[in-house]
């Protein structure tokens, strides 16, 4: 679904995996299955993944940016090493 319905998100996932390794795909799968703080994306009115907790540092930054600037595409992926620890 992500690959065809959310092409910008799919490209973001691929770029992140190229930088950090295949653990990124594990984070995406976890988020899609509902595990928070792993992966969340929004594109073209579609939302996939689980939200990042309010206490997670990225949550406030993303929320403020969305309200202030809006966005057609947002993709948040936790770094595999940090998410495991």
């Amino acid at each position: 679904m992500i690959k065809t319905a959310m092409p910008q998100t799919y490209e973001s996932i691929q770029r992140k995996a190229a930088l950090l390794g295949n653990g990124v795909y594990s984070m995406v799968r976890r988020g899609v299955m509902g595990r928070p703080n792993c992966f969340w994306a929004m594109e073209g009115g579609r939302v996939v993944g689980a939200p990042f907790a309010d206490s997670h540092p990225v949550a406030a930054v993303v929320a403020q940016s969305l309200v202030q600037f809006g966005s057609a595409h947002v993709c948040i992926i936790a770094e595999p090493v940090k998410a495991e620890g």
Side-chain angles (χ1 to χ4, degrees):
M1 176 183 139
I2 292 173
K3 185 176 182 177
T4 56
M6 303 173 79
Q8 292 178 314
T9 298
Y10 183 69
E11 288 177 20
S12 295
I13 293 167
Q14 288 182 308
R15 280 193 305 273
K16 193 73 155 178
L19 289 173
L20 300 176
N22 287 335
V24 167
Y25 297 114
S26 175
M27 300 311 298
V28 171
R29 283 190 298 275
R30 290 176 187 181
V32 168
M33 291 187 303
R35 185 168 176 192
N37 303 330
C38 294
F39 167 78
W40 181 86
M42 175 188 72
E43 180 179 341
R46 297 182 188 270
V47 177
V48 295
F52 280 67
D54 290 340
S55 60
H56 195 284
V58 75
V61 174
V62 171
Q64 180 180 356
S65 297
L66 285 171
V67 170
Q68 188 171 1
F69 303 111
S71 180
H73 165 246
V74 178
C75 182
I76 308 167
I77 305 170
E79 291 184 39
V81 174
K82 290 183 180 179
E84 296 292 330

